[in-house]
Amino acid sequence: MQETGLRNSAHGADKFGFKDIAAVHWNLTEAPLYEHAIRNGEAKVVAGGALCAETGHHTGRSPKDKHTVVDALTENTVWWDGNRKQSQEQFENLYQDFLAHAKGKTLFAQDLYGGADPKYRIKTRVYTQLAWHSLFTRQLLIRPDRSELAGFVPELTIIDMPSFKPDAKRHGGREGSDTMVAIDFTRKIVLICGSSYAGEIKKSVFTTLNFYLPAQGVMPMHCSANVGKAGDSALFFGLSGTGKTTLSADPNRTLIGDDETGWSQNGIFNFEGGCYAKCIRLSAEAEPEIYAATNRFGAVLENVVFDPETRIPDYDNDSKTENTRSAYPLDFIPNASRSGMAGHPKNIIFLTADAYGVMPPIAKLTPAQAMYHFLSGYTAKVAGTEKGLVGVEPEFSTCFGAPFLPRPPAEYGNLLRDYIAKHKVDCWLVNSGWTGGIYGVGRRMPIKVTRALVTGALDGSLRNASYRTDPYFGFAVPTSVPGIEPHLLYPMKTWKDKAAFDDTARKLVGMFQKNFGKYEQHVDADVRAAAPEVRIAAE
């Protein structure tokens, strides 16, 4: 077997069970990984220097194909309502078939950390079949110092082989599916097959930390984080398309991380060493930091259309998918934290892209309302974001990350509630979605307005504003904010048809109430009382 690169020779691929592999390339850096990817026909270099790859028919994660092994560790701790079961025998079959499939192949291995805090990070070894996946993984997780690699012994091992197709009966997957993500928390092994979407790798690390950390009193969160000059950190929760990455990349604040964060008794810490930004309609004017990080050597683009002659990327083109992506290391952002750690947050922002156009641009939440909206995890999907989606569809993803939660949602909710109370954190709900009407009628909330309101929340100026109680959702909404068009703070006033607004708002309130039914028996009375309810006639 040919081996290149820095590695722990005493803990090589044979320790995992690999036999008769053609080659393993260990911990390669950007330049050689570019060469392998191009030589193998996996990707192309585009203008600016990024490596651009296509992910095939999977242009996003496949949450329905994620399976968790049932054993003594997981049987009574995993949230089985949100996770698919796999038997120990089925996983062992898959594991052995992976080893057999790898024979004669060349693999790429990266030794990395999941988690910036040395006390809680997990040593992760990722084997990939594709060179560009190895580069993606290297840019997204935390890279140890080169001197540490000779003694690196992994705690978690991930294997990603897109060319392997699972067998539903033998491996316990879905009938008719060619994809599987299988997690064995006891053996600390993740097996990914049938998909070339690289995001499955990073989310597997996140899911693993989401299982292990709560037992240590650490809150794992699907959120971005930044910190001000005074050490005032902030968390930004939100589903895809709500502005989590965009708003946390603030030139006046230091970026901690854009997607996955832990909160321990010592403060917050990033799980990753990079950013995974959506780049549909990316522009230098609207998002200068992300644009610059995307258009340079070392960035990895997924499914971005580019001119075949000039190789200039067309970030407005969604013909392959709306979910075009850019992956790059944190140090591509000039004001990113080098430690990935900060003190306890002063503010928490829950982001929603309300395509129904009835939620205010910002609202102040009580602790009970914060837990209610955290467990609800609301946003709205619009036509074009998913195959076959027409019009507007509500999305409630509990804890703003249901696909990544191995444990029951209330366990995360209670942890967050306790940390909010202990550190007296201000919580806000921000609508980065629509105003003046439903999607297709109204307009997207101006990004300048959203940025200004978030800045006001973070710098404390919104504390001095006067507030009204929203008649539909019950939270506190500023009546006026300097520099913000007054009517934007009163969503009904932005609609021409007031009756249509009232009808739409009442429908959305009903959706919240119906969705929260499954959590009511697991939360306290004050959280149940925080549910949206049409308390008075429309304003």
Side-chain angles (χ1 to χ4, degrees):
M1 179 176 66
Q2 177 194 2
E3 295 189 87
T4 65
L6 283 175
R7 64 193 183 282
N8 181 352
S9 57
H11 202 98
D14 59 310
K15 294 291 186 181
F16 190 74
F18 285 119
K19 295 179 180 178
D20 303 322
I21 298 174
V24 181
H25 298 297
W26 294 91
N27 298 302
L28 297 187
T29 55
E30 290 85 345
L33 286 171
Y34 264 62
E35 291 172 353
H36 280 287
I38 294 167
R39 186 184 303 119
N40 297 339
E42 301 173 7
K44 292 184 178 180
V45 180
V46 296
L51 189 70
C52 188
E54 293 186 23
T55 63
H57 68 288
H58 285 290
T59 56
R61 290 178 298 100
S62 187
K64 293 181 179 180
D65 291 306
K66 192 170 83 173
H67 297 73
T68 302
V69 173
V70 185
D71 57 19
L73 175 65
T74 61
E75 190 171 10
N76 297 316
T77 55
V78 165
W79 176 42
W80 294 115
D81 287 348
N83 289 271
R84 292 175 179 268
K85 294 182 177 181
Q86 184 180 39
S87 72
Q88 292 171 269
E89 180 184 3
Q90 289 165 339
F91 185 89
E92 179 63 22
N93 288 341
L94 184 65
Y95 169 68
Q96 293 297 335
D97 290 347
F98 257 57
L99 297 181
H101 188 74
K103 289 183 179 180
K105 289 182 170 55
T106 294
L107 298 180
F108 300 86
Q110 293 285 341
D111 290 329
L112 303 156
Y113 294 131
D117 188 332
K119 186 175 181 180
Y120 299 112
R121 69 190 179 194
I122 187 166
K123 291 182 177 180
T124 304
R125 175 167 289 172
V126 183
Y127 291 99
T128 64
Q129 186 178 354
L130 299 174
W132 81 264
H133 276 186
S134 192
L135 178 59
F136 171 92
T137 305
R138 178 179 176 78
Q139 305 299 49
L140 262 293
L141 294 180
I142 297 171
R143 289 169 283 188
D145 186 88
R146 302 286 285 177
S147 63
E148 299 175 57
L149 296 176
F152 193 96
V153 177
E155 299 166 286
L156 170 68
T157 302
I158 300 172
I159 311 176
D160 186 295
M161 291 201 293
S163 67
F164 182 87
K165 305 301 179 186
D167 178 87
K169 291 182 180 179
R170 179 170 168 79
H171 304 132
R174 293 190 303 141
E175 285 289 345
S177 175
D178 64 352
T179 302
M180 177 174 278
V181 179
I183 302 178
D184 186 326
F185 285 120
T186 298
R187 297 165 70 177
K188 295 184 178 177
I189 297 172
V190 181
L191 305 175
I192 304 170
C193 59
S195 173
S196 294
Y197 184 70
E200 297 285 14
I201 302 171
K202 86 177 212 88
K203 288 304 185 188
S204 295
V205 178
F206 184 43
T207 301
T208 302
L209 290 169
N210 282 348
F211 180 77
Y212 295 115
L213 291 182
Q216 301 175 66
V218 178
M219 175 63 185
M221 303 170 290
H222 185 213
C223 71
S224 59
N226 64 24
V227 60
K229 295 176 182 177
D232 53 314
S233 64
L235 304 177
F236 299 78
F237 288 87
L239 300 172
S240 180
T242 58
K244 186 158 48 76
T245 299
T246 300
L247 292 168
S248 58
D250 185 331
N252 298 311
R253 296 172 65 85
T254 299
L255 179 66
I256 303 298
D258 85 323
D259 194 46
E260 302 168 8
T261 310
W263 191 356
S264 74
Q265 67 272 21
N266 300 321
I268 62 172
F269 61 99
N270 188 15
F271 287 173
E272 301 183 295
C275 299
Y276 193 35
K278 286 191 76 170
C279 52
I280 192 69
R281 290 175 287 281
L282 177 66
S283 72
E285 294 72 30
E287 300 171 276
E289 292 85 7
I290 296 173
Y291 186 87
T294 294
N295 290 279
R296 60 179 286 185
F297 180 83
V300 181
L301 306 186
E302 287 182 326
N303 301 312
V304 172
V305 176
F306 56 87
D307 185 289
E309 293 185 8
T310 65
R311 299 284 182 92
I312 296 174
D314 180 1
Y315 296 113
D316 294 328
N317 192 318
D318 62 358
S319 60
K320 292 180 182 176
T321 177
E322 181 90 4
N323 190 36
T324 54
R325 293 277 182 169
S326 169
Y328 48 85
L330 266 172
D331 57 23
F332 279 19
I333 300 291
N335 61 329
S337 167
R338 295 301 179 257
S339 71
M341 302 170 67
H344 298 289
K346 302 289 186 185
N347 291 276
I348 289 177
I349 309 288
F350 296 120
L351 295 164
T352 180
D354 176 29
Y356 292 97
V358 297
M359 295 190 109
I362 195 165
K364 183 82 164 60
L365 304 178
T366 65
Q369 288 171 334
M371 186 168 178
Y372 182 93
H373 285 280
F374 176 69
L375 289 174
S376 296
Y378 166 71
T379 194
K381 297 181 289 187
V382 299
T385 58
E386 286 190 9
K387 186 177 180 180
L389 181 60
V390 178
V392 178
E393 185 177 295
E395 181 176 14
F396 292 95
S397 185
T398 187
C399 307
F400 294 95
F404 324 119
L405 304 183
R407 295 178 179 272
E411 196 169 330
Y412 303 98
N414 290 334
L415 260 175
L416 184 66
R417 177 198 60 198
D418 293 346
Y419 271 116
I420 288 172
K422 183 177 181 179
H423 299 287
K424 298 178 173 60
V425 183
D426 286 335
C427 298
W428 310 83
L429 184 71
V430 171
N431 174 23
S432 60
W434 276 257
T435 183
I438 198 169
Y439 168 78
V441 178
R443 59 168 176 151
R444 191 76 191 253
M445 192 72 69
I447 185 64
K448 290 183 179 180
V449 170
T450 304
R451 284 191 186 279
L453 291 171
V454 167
T455 298
L458 301 188
D459 68 18
S461 61
L462 278 184
R463 290 183 180 176
N464 303 320
S466 60
Y467 287 84
R468 66 181 177 87
T469 300
D470 185 272
Y472 298 94
F473 296 93
F475 40 47
V477 181
T479 56
S480 64
V481 176
I484 303 298
E485 301 171 48
H487 66 284
L488 286 176
L489 297 168
Y490 294 81
M492 179 179 277
K493 294 182 180 180
T494 66
W495 283 54
K496 292 180 180 178
D497 188 335
K498 311 304 183 193
F501 174 90
D502 180 61
D503 182 59
T504 304
R506 289 173 184 270
K507 285 180 180 177
L508 184 56
V509 166
M511 294 175 198
F512 267 93
Q513 294 170 341
K514 181 180 179 181
N515 171 73
F516 203 78
K518 53 183 172 285
Y519 308 121
E520 287 182 342
Q521 61 180 337
H522 304 293
V523 299
D524 297 336
D526 61 335
V527 178
R528 291 195 295 271
E533 182 180 352
V534 183
R535 294 169 173 81
I536 58 174
E539 296 175 343

